[in-house]
Amino acid sequence: MIEADIRVKSFGGAPVLRDIRFRVATGEVLAILGPSGIGKSTLLRIVAGIDSAFEGTVARPERLSMAFQEPTLLPWRTVAENLTLVHPSLGREGAVAALARVGIEDRADLFPRQLSLGQQRRVALARAFAGDPEALILDEPFASLDPATADEMLALTEGLIAGSRPATIFVTHSEPEAARLATRILRLGGRPATIRPDKEAG
Ligand SMILES: Nc1ncnc2c1ncn2[C@@H]1O[C@H](COP(=O)(O)OP(=O)(O)OP(=O)(O)O)[C@@H](O)[C@H]1O
Ligand SMILES: [Mg+2]
């Protein structure tokens, strides 16, 4: 279970987020929608515990994984090593098994630059799921992929979430993506950004 109560988040004295409260239970998937620059990644970093410079509280489980907006793989490590570095107990075999879950076990010994962006995103997803997370945070995991690849990644993620049922939060710019994967949608708007009601009058 993730429980967030963010009263204010500011950068250089300027408030970016205000009064954002939500809970995500085990097995729930919360989609966060909102225009570019509104503060979605900032919100995810706060929830993940990477950014603690805000007013408010966040309760999160111990086993939490985050996949960032960029795949953030270490360029001088192979794909398998990128997994074992974060999850040493996997060993090479476990890393290859984790890669098999996203269909790229044949890339285990290549370096990230030898992979397409879609393949790098799969590695990031495999790395996030390899920790058997109780909370999963995904920042635009299907962005800048062609529609077919994005769709395939979405189906993969759907399957992984259904299998291990973490409390999941993901950011997207796509309504259909949100509608398909999420059990709930949270819309951000305004400046500073806050939660928009689902249906606005008028
Ligand atoms: N470390 C920082 N220092 C100062 N300002 C920042 C910092 N990080 C983010 N911001 C500002 O906070 C605002 C929200 O940024 P954020 O990356 O959270 O947006 P976003 O909703 O994720 O956008 P996108 O959809 O383009 O990824 C932006 O105006 C950005 O410039
Ligand atoms: Mg962002």
Side-chain angles (χ1 to χ4, degrees):
M1 156 93 90
I2 297 169
E3 201 166 352
D5 178 358
I6 298 156
R7 285 190 284 282
V8 191
K9 166 66 188 175
S10 303
F11 285 117
V16 174
L17 303 173
R18 180 181 291 281
D19 294 329
I20 296 176
R21 288 186 197 88
F22 59 82
R23 285 180 183 196
V24 188
T26 299
E28 277 190 335
V29 182
L30 178 72
I32 296 180
L33 282 162
S36 186
I38 195 97
K40 304 180 298 297
S41 295
T42 302
L43 173 60
L44 291 192
R45 280 195 294 270
I46 288 173
V47 172
I50 298 162
D51 185 343
S52 54
F54 69 103
E55 283 174 42
T57 55
V58 175
R60 63 183 80 79
E62 200 172 310
R63 286 203 315 280
L64 178 144
S65 288
M66 177 159 177
F68 294 89
Q69 205 163 344
E70 299 304 321
T72 59
L73 306 173
L74 288 178
W76 57 88
R77 299 284 184 155
T78 66
V79 164
E81 286 166 358
N82 265 279
L83 266 67
T84 52
L85 215 64
V86 177
H87 309 291
S89 63
L90 283 180
R92 193 193 139 74
E93 229 171 90
V96 173
L99 292 167
R101 289 162 82 191
V102 297
I104 49 164
E105 66 276 25
D106 59 338
R107 306 285 127 144
D109 297 317
L110 296 183
F111 288 91
R113 66 170 181 279
Q114 298 173 301
L115 269 56
S116 72
L117 177 63
Q119 290 167 337
Q120 290 180 37
R121 287 202 186 279
R122 281 166 204 255
V123 177
L125 200 61
R127 181 177 57 186
F129 273 98
D132 189 23
E134 299 162 283
L136 179 67
I137 298 182
L138 307 171
D139 198 348
E140 300 198 41
F142 320 116
S144 27
L145 301 174
D146 66 83
T149 308
D151 201 61
E152 200 189 324
M153 284 276 296
L154 189 73
L156 270 173
T157 308
E158 224 173 1
L160 291 168
I161 291 174
S164 55
R165 296 182 51 76
T168 303
I169 303 178
F170 82 107
V171 164
T172 179
H173 285 280
S174 156
E175 290 277 349
E177 242 174 58
R180 179 160 156 199
L181 195 60
T183 52
R184 205 146 43 91
I185 295 176
L186 189 150
R187 294 169 203 280
L188 292 182
R191 184 172 298 204
T194 192
I195 297 176
R196 283 259 157 96
D198 266 352
K199 294 266 186 295
E200 294 196 303

